[in-house]
Amino acid sequence: RDIGHAVRLAATPGVEAVIVGLETLFSVENLAAILEQLGSERVIFSLDLMLGHPRAYIDAWTSLPPLAIAEQVAQMGVRQMIVLDLADVGTQRGPSTHPLAKEIGRRKIPLRLIGGGGVRGLTDL
């Protein structure tokens, strides 16, 4: 959510990385500060979607396509990103974000992707 929460969590013994979720992030500046303080290797950004649309408090990102947000956070220094559509959670139908993940790869956006939502086993991956 903000730099204070991220630093306190990162200082907890055993915590290797902090997940910064789009749905709880209040500003782009907060993400920049977290990246600066913790370093990109300790930050995982979660691109939180609902039915394919960004779930965000940040007005500038609510109307952007998810791919544009992925490009922006990569330019800011994010190197790991969870791609999660919250509408998929608990459905056991597999993630609906596969086309987005493929496009991120096709564009060679330098992000290590972590998929989530609706995954019940290896066949969904």
Side-chain angles (χ1 to χ4, degrees):
R1 174 174 305 192
D2 60 45
I3 186 67
H5 285 101
V7 169
R8 281 191 300 277
L9 183 58
T12 304
V15 172
E16 295 179 20
V18 173
I19 298 172
V20 179
L22 177 61
E23 72 173 335
T24 59
L25 190 63
F26 287 119
S27 74
V28 176
E29 292 78 20
N30 280 338
L31 177 58
I34 293 167
L35 284 163
E36 184 176 327
Q37 183 71 30
L38 300 183
S40 61
E41 67 282 350
R42 294 199 68 202
V43 175
I44 302 170
F45 180 75
S46 182
L47 180 55
D48 301 324
L49 308 173
M50 179 59 78
L51 299 172
H53 301 284
R55 187 170 171 136
Y57 286 106
I58 303 169
D59 289 337
W61 283 357
T62 56
S63 60
L64 284 181
L67 184 61
I69 296 172
E71 290 173 328
Q72 283 187 16
V73 299
Q75 289 172 358
M76 292 175 69
V78 169
R79 294 294 166 249
Q80 298 181 82
M81 185 172 77
I82 297 169
V83 181
L84 171 66
D85 194 311
L86 297 163
D88 293 337
V89 174
T91 64
Q92 297 185 346
R93 292 179 299 178
S96 63
T97 56
H98 188 242
L100 173 60
K102 284 181 71 171
E103 186 61 18
I104 289 168
R106 190 186 73 72
R107 292 186 184 211
K108 299 192 184 334
I109 300 171
L111 290 167
R112 177 179 171 257
L113 298 180
I114 303 163
V119 178
R120 60 188 164 201
L122 288 176
T123 57
D124 290 332
L125 299 175

